[in-house]
């Protein structure tokens, strides 16, 4: 059978964001897969060096639209790590509440998208219907459906209104019931099972070798969760880590659905605590001393890692971000080779890749120091030149002529 | 005489009726799907807007590809669908046969798929080539089951291959769906229609999130309108064919019987829409295994039962 190359992206209905996969197939069987990044790079790390610490928190919130509180969470953890800042207990509960609400809506978003990718549009719409009340709760608690802007160095920016507790509880009960129903429906549907079970298996060994984290690793039986292993706010609640053993797409879905239920339990613990725990929500931090700090947080997709170095001024000298998808996406190499194209695509989607989180600056040099990939900037300059040549007789625009004079 | 045939072909129950009614049924499909999924759904005239807008758009041809096949494929497909719907429609509404029988109809339905395969593979686009390959596999898998299903009423009617004679037989001896072989064949038939119309779970050739509408990816403007219109027309004649073959067609004797005939048709359409909305897309190998391992043997059992007289 002849080999052929299927370009998946940079713009493709399977990918919500710009990303390029180069899939080589024999007939319908995938034999090789390559990934190209660099379509979404926005330079957050560099911008962060020109902002104050407080501004940086809001900046990193814009890295991702879905897990928008996980980057600020890790960022404040890193800044607090420099000076070992303690945060008040009520602030810890509020941070956990926001983080878990976000986890629920992010996982529901994935369940819906996964349904869409396998052509099950009804599942898509139903999952997103149950996501809506969660977004409305977020709006009531923080003022925004997304981009909550709650995290501050030393605490949170806005207190939780205890009168909202009776409104939140019924929503969580409803969601828990619906998730149990969804898990049952997925378990009973033979067509869905034939589509997901045993597809795109990532073994525990591969998960460890590729440094997978988050639900992707936990579905393969790799018991890893920052919320339990290295808690910065989560020590106030009980976290049960969901682990399954098979590592296929079905298990990745099951892990996420069970995590939604677990998140509901964690939020309920927080709501109980809010009635007892009163007091300040922020320890004012006047200045950051020189030093370096790291912050970790379990985002819906896995571990977010922030590194910040300070020289005693009000700006970070270096701000490094590592998103979970950065190590989850290469697991394709282990799980996608040798399976049919239709399965490969849902396997690509099953790690819940977030490309705008992943895309940091990436340069590849060969041994002689030459840059291997063509710079996008260079290409765009060449294109502009070509267009100009067609438009203006001497290839110089009137605007340029004015500036030259 | 010639005007009568032209009337049948172009106005009722041919082009005008089937295309307008098909777009309305297409709207029903979209609206019911939307309500199942908690959406609002499109307005009533949305399909009409879509088709008319496509007619006014420009056709983009693929450089260095055989234009002729690319352009002629949708027209051949449309013509075959039009003739099929006229044959089925005249039998259904007027109880008239105008020289076509079931073998002819089976051929015309294959021509539609073959035209789709040719048109898709003429472009050289990788997605549409994969789509064409999948359409071919789907055709090979569902065709046997479909022919076996059609054999059941033929055997019941005493080895007659004319739609009219099958209808006549049912008027005298009761509906074929009432027999054991009839109900089995009817159920397999609905699944075959799902595959023939490329609806979920068998929308494998045009899987949007995998190969971006696959077979139709390079089509635009009026040529795409031909494909879309052919698909809407299938909403009409495919369920009608099942009603004729298994459920005794329609009788215009009283208002009650007319309503009964319409309800039979609508029931099949709603079953198809519900199957579409409660299933994910299957893989092509699963589809082949399903049709060759389960659907075709089931249809064969129905045929044997029919021969035995059950």
């Amino acid at each position: 059978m002849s080999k052929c190359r299927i370009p998946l992206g940079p713009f493709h209905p399977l990918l919500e964001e710009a990303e390029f996969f180069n899939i080589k197939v024999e007939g319908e069987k995938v034999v090789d897969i390559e990934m190209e990044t660099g379509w979404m790079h926005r330079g957050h790390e560099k911008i962060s060096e020109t902002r104050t610490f407080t501004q940086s928190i809001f900046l990193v919130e814009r890295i991702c639209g879905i897990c928008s509180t996980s980057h600020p969470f890790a960022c404040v953890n890193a800044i607090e790590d420099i000076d070992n800042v303690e945060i008040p207990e009520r602030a810890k509960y509020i941070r956990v509440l926001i983080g878990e609400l976000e986890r629920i809506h992010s996982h529901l978003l994935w369940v819906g998208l996964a349904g869409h990718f396998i052509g099950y549009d009804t599942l898509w719409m139903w999952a997103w219907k149950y996501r809506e009340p969660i977004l409305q709760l977020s709006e009531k608690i923080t003022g925004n459906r997304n981009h909550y802007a709650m995290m501050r160095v030393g605490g949170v920016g806005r207190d939780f209104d205890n009168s909202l507790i009776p409104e939140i509880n019924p929503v969580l009960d409803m969601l828990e019931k619906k998730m149990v129903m969804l898990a049952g429906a997925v378990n009973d549907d033979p067509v869905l099972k034939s589509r997901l079970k045993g597809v795109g298996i990532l073994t525990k060994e591969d998960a460890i070798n590729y440094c997978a984290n988050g639900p992707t690793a936990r579905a393969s039986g790799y018991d890893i969760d920052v919320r339990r292993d290295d808690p910065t706010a989560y020590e106030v609640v009980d976290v049960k880590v969901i682990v399954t053993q098979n590592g296929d797409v079905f298990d990745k879905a099951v892990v996420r659905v069970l995590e939604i239920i677990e998140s509901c339990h964690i939020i309920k613990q927080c709501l109980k605590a809010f009635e007892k725990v009163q007091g300040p929500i922020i320890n004012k931090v006047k200045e950051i001393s020189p030093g370096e700090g790291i912050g970790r947080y379990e985002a819906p997709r896995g571990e977010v890692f922030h590194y910040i170095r300070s020289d005693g001024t009000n700006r970070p000298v270096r701000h490094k971000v590592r998103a979970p998808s950065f190590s989850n996406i290469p697991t394709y190499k282990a799980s996608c080779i040798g399976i049919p194209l239709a399965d490969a695509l849902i396997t690509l989607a099953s790690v819940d890749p977030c490309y705008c989180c992943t895309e940091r600056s990436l340069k590849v040099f060969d041994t002689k120091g030459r840059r291997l990939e063509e710079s996008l900037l260079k290409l765009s300059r060449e294109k502009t030149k070509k267009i100009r040549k067609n438009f203006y007789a001497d290839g110089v625009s009137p605007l340029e002529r004015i500036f030259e004079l | 005489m010639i005007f009568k045939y032209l009337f049948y072909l172009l106005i009722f129950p041919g082009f005008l009726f089937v295309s307008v009614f098909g777009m309305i049924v297409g709207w029903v499909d979209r609206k019911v799907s939307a309500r199942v999924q908690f959406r609002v759904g499109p307005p009533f005239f949305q399909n009409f807007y879509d088709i008319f807008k496509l007619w006014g758009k420009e056709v983009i041809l693929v450089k260095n590809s055989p234009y002729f096949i690319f352009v002629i494929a949708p027209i051949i497909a449309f013509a075959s669908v039009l003739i099929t719907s006229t044959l089925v429609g005249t039998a259904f509404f007027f109880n008239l046969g105008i020289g076509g029988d079931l073998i002819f109809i089976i051929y015309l339905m294959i021509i539609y798929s073959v035209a789709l395969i040719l048109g898709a593979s003429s472009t050289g686009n990788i997605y549409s080539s994969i789509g064409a390959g999948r359409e071919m596999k789907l055709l090979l898998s569902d065709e046997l089951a479909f022919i076996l299903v059609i054999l059941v009423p033929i055997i019941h009617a005493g080895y007659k291959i004319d739609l009219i004679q099958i209808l006549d037989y049912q008027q005298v001896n009761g509906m074929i769906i009432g027999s054991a072989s009839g109900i089995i064949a009817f159920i397999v038939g609905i699944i075959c229609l799902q595959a023939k119309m490329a609806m979920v779970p068998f929308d494998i050739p045009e899987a949007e999130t995998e190969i971006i509408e696959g077979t139709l990816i390079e089509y635009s403007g009026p040529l795409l309108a031909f494909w879309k219109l052919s698909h809407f027309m299938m909403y009409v004649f495919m369920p009608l064919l099942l009603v004729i073959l298994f459920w005794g067609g329609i009788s215009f004797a009283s208002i009650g019987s007319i309503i009964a005939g319409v309800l039979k048709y609508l029931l099949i359409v709603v079953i198809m829409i519900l199957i579409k909305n409660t299933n994910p897309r299957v893989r092509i190998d699963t589809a082949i295994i399903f049709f060759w391992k389960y659907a075709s043997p089931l249809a064969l059992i129905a045929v044997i039962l029919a021969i035995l007289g059950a």
Side-chain angles (χ1 to χ4, degrees):
Chain A
M1 217 177 274
S2 66
K3 279 184 194 175
C4 68
R5 190 181 68 91
I6 298 178
L8 196 74
F11 302 101
H12 188 282
L14 183 80
L15 312 164
E16 315 89 279
E17 299 157 49
E19 196 67 17
F20 183 65
F21 293 102
N22 202 346
I23 302 179
K24 289 200 181 71
V25 292
E26 268 181 20
E28 286 258 341
K29 202 179 88 185
V30 176
V31 291
D32 196 12
I33 182 164
E34 283 163 16
M35 188 185 109
E36 252 178 48
T37 57
W39 303 87
M40 296 274 291
H41 178 58
R42 289 165 297 169
H44 272 104
E45 289 175 8
K46 190 68 195 164
I47 300 171
S48 176
E49 290 166 16
T50 67
R51 301 284 154 97
T52 64
F53 283 107
T54 315
Q55 285 173 333
S56 285
I57 298 169
F58 294 99
L59 177 76
V60 293
E61 192 155 27
R62 266 73 190 166
I63 287 180
C64 180
I66 304 299
C67 46
S68 67
T69 213
S70 45
H71 284 286
F73 205 133
C75 183
V76 292
N77 279 348
I79 300 171
E80 283 157 6
D81 186 42
I82 298 175
D83 277 337
N84 292 324
V85 181
E86 275 297 314
I87 63 168
E89 201 180 356
R90 191 172 170 84
K92 282 184 183 174
Y93 279 112
I94 295 176
R95 282 188 182 182
V96 172
L97 173 77
I98 302 298
E100 292 309 304
L101 275 179
E102 182 191 81
R103 192 180 315 279
I104 292 176
H105 93 71
S106 174
H107 281 348
L108 276 175
L109 182 116
W110 178 83
V111 169
L113 282 178
H116 176 54
F117 294 151
I118 55 171
Y120 200 169
D121 284 2
T122 310
L123 178 67
W124 175 25
M125 292 294 165
W126 281 50
W128 284 26
K129 176 176 179 265
Y130 300 131
R131 181 173 172 253
E132 190 58 30
I134 297 295
L135 292 178
Q136 281 167 1
L137 279 188
S138 302
E139 189 179 6
K140 273 187 184 145
I141 295 168
T142 69
N144 287 316
R145 284 162 63 89
N146 222 317
H147 293 309
Y148 315 109
M150 292 287 273
M151 301 297 160
R152 299 286 189 282
V153 179
V156 290
R158 191 171 164 156
D159 200 0
F160 176 76
D161 186 0
N162 275 0
S163 65
L164 283 173
I165 294 176
E167 274 184 64
I168 299 176
N169 270 322
V171 175
L172 293 178
D173 289 340
M174 182 277 291
L175 196 72
E176 222 180 305
K177 227 189 303 170
K178 296 294 177 191
M179 283 305 114
V180 172
M181 187 194 81
L182 181 74
V186 170
N187 242 332
D188 291 343
D189 191 335
V191 186
L192 210 55
K193 249 183 171 172
S194 82
R195 198 61 217 279
L196 300 180
K197 207 128 202 181
V199 166
I201 294 175
L202 180 72
T203 57
K204 186 177 179 182
E205 211 179 6
D206 281 333
I208 293 171
N209 287 344
Y210 280 91
C211 301
N213 49 34
T216 313
R218 291 198 283 275
S220 302
Y222 183 19
D223 191 356
I224 174 177
D225 193 322
V226 178
R227 288 180 293 171
R228 183 200 57 200
D229 302 339
D230 182 18
T232 47
Y234 276 85
E235 65 268 15
V236 293
V237 288
D238 272 347
V239 181
K240 202 177 101 199
V241 179
I242 313 283
V243 180
T244 56
Q245 301 301 328
N246 297 328
D248 51 5
V249 179
F250 186 80
D251 269 26
K252 283 171 190 162
V254 167
V255 163
R256 290 198 170 91
V257 171
L258 293 180
E259 273 187 12
I260 293 173
I261 298 172
E262 182 57 27
S263 288
C264 290
H265 293 166
I266 295 175
I267 293 176
K268 277 184 184 160
Q269 291 176 36
C270 292
L271 294 182
K272 258 189 209 140
F274 280 133
E275 284 162 0
K276 282 177 273 165
V277 182
Q278 298 292 341
I281 54 163
I282 186 160
N283 278 339
K284 279 269 173 348
V285 177
K286 293 285 182 203
E287 59 182 27
I288 315 283
S289 47
E292 47 186 18
I294 58 165
R296 300 163 78 194
Y297 170 69
E298 183 76 16
R301 289 160 182 80
E303 179 194 327
V304 180
F305 177 90
H306 277 237
Y307 165 83
I308 288 184
R309 192 159 78 220
S310 156
D311 61 351
T313 58
N314 61 347
R315 283 149 208 251
V317 180
R318 175 80 178 98
H319 188 174
K320 163 78 188 149
V321 179
R322 201 208 66 168
S325 303
F326 184 72
S327 51
N328 279 342
I329 290 173
T331 60
Y332 299 164
K333 281 267 185 197
S335 55
C336 279
I337 309 276
I339 60 176
L341 180 66
D343 282 349
L345 297 181
I346 179 67
T347 312
L348 290 184
S350 71
V351 304
D352 199 0
C354 181
Y355 303 111
C356 56
C357 285
T358 311
E359 304 244 316
R360 310 267 77 80
S361 171
L362 181 77
K363 291 177 186 169
V364 182
F365 295 96
D366 66 1
T367 47
K368 285 172 189 162
R370 284 177 307 205
R371 192 160 176 196
L372 286 180
E373 64 215 293
E374 273 178 308
S375 158
L376 281 176
L377 196 65
K378 196 178 135 203
L379 283 176
S380 89
R381 276 178 188 153
E382 275 169 9
K383 181 87 185 275
T384 318
K385 258 183 208 162
K386 217 184 279 172
I387 293 171
R388 271 191 195 143
K389 235 177 228 169
N390 292 340
F391 269 96
Y392 309 110
D394 49 356
V396 182
S397 76
L399 205 65
E400 268 184 337
R401 201 163 288 140
I402 292 166
F403 282 119
E404 273 169 21
L405 288 171
Chain B
M1 205 57 190
I2 183 95
F3 285 112
K4 203 167 132 198
Y5 287 145
L6 274 180
F7 176 78
Y8 286 151
L9 185 68
L10 294 179
I11 298 179
F12 187 88
F15 173 66
L16 195 67
F17 168 75
V18 177
S19 54
V20 169
F21 191 58
M23 281 190 255
I24 292 171
V25 179
W27 171 79
V28 171
D29 174 18
R30 290 172 73 172
K31 194 79 181 173
V32 172
S33 301
R35 299 313 299 172
V36 170
Q37 299 170 359
F38 299 105
R39 291 187 285 117
V40 178
F44 182 75
F45 286 109
Q46 188 59 51
N47 288 332
F48 296 86
Y49 299 148
D50 289 351
I51 296 290
F52 282 121
K53 195 172 178 186
L54 280 177
W55 276 106
K57 293 270 182 189
E58 101 187 89
V59 176
I60 298 165
L61 295 173
V62 184
K63 222 177 191 178
N64 304 328
S65 79
Y67 295 157
F68 181 70
I69 298 173
F70 184 74
V71 173
I72 206 80
I75 296 167
I76 290 177
F78 180 76
S80 71
V81 167
L82 179 60
I83 297 171
T84 323
S85 50
T86 312
L87 288 174
V88 175
T90 41
F92 186 78
F93 291 106
F94 303 124
N95 212 1
L96 275 177
I98 48 172
D101 51 36
L102 273 169
I103 294 180
F104 189 41
I105 288 174
I106 290 172
Y107 263 109
L108 285 172
M109 281 159 85
I110 295 177
I111 285 177
Y112 172 83
S113 298
V114 171
L116 189 56
I117 293 165
L118 281 178
S121 43
S122 73
T123 60
N125 186 313
I126 184 75
Y127 295 112
S128 69
S129 322
I130 292 176
R134 288 179 173 192
E135 174 77 30
M136 219 181 292
K137 288 171 196 158
L138 196 62
L139 180 68
L140 289 177
S141 54
D142 68 15
E143 203 54 43
L144 178 69
F146 189 66
I147 291 171
L148 287 175
V149 163
I150 285 181
L151 269 180
V152 172
I154 291 176
I155 293 166
H156 270 283
Y159 299 94
K160 300 280 174 20
I161 52 169
D162 212 336
L163 288 176
I164 311 302
Q165 283 159 328
I166 291 171
L167 278 177
D168 288 345
Y169 164 82
Q170 293 186 68
Q171 263 174 6
V172 180
N173 299 316
M175 295 162 188
I176 293 173
I177 199 174
S179 63
S181 59
I183 187 80
I184 296 174
F186 181 73
I187 291 166
V188 179
I190 287 184
I191 296 168
C192 287
L193 288 202
Q194 207 84 7
K196 290 238 165 253
M197 286 186 62
M199 280 161 82
V200 182
F202 302 111
D203 68 333
I204 313 162
E206 45 194 57
E208 184 205 335
T209 46
E210 288 167 20
I211 49 173
I212 330 178
E213 290 293 325
T215 43
L216 301 182
I217 185 169
E218 290 289 353
Y219 277 99
S220 55
L223 295 181
L224 184 61
F226 270 122
W227 285 121
K228 292 277 171 201
L229 206 55
S230 307
H231 194 256
F232 285 133
M233 289 161 86
M234 285 171 142
Y235 272 116
V236 181
F237 81 79
M238 292 258 190
L240 281 188
L241 187 63
L242 274 199
V243 174
I244 290 175
L245 290 179
F246 293 99
W247 223 341
I250 190 171
S251 138
F252 291 95
S254 67
I255 293 179
S257 65
I258 295 174
I259 292 174
V262 173
L263 282 182
K264 286 174 202 168
Y265 167 76
L266 279 180
L267 187 70
I268 295 179
V269 171
V270 168
I271 288 175
M272 288 168 75
I273 296 172
L274 286 183
I275 291 176
K276 175 184 160 188
N277 277 305
T278 48
N279 279 295
R281 183 189 312 123
V282 297
R283 268 197 316 266
I284 185 70
D285 53 336
T286 322
I288 294 173
I289 289 169
F290 173 76
F291 275 109
W292 282 87
K293 255 190 176 169
Y294 303 105
S296 298
L298 208 61
L300 193 64
I301 290 171
V303 170
I304 293 168
L305 281 177
I307 293 172
L308 294 176

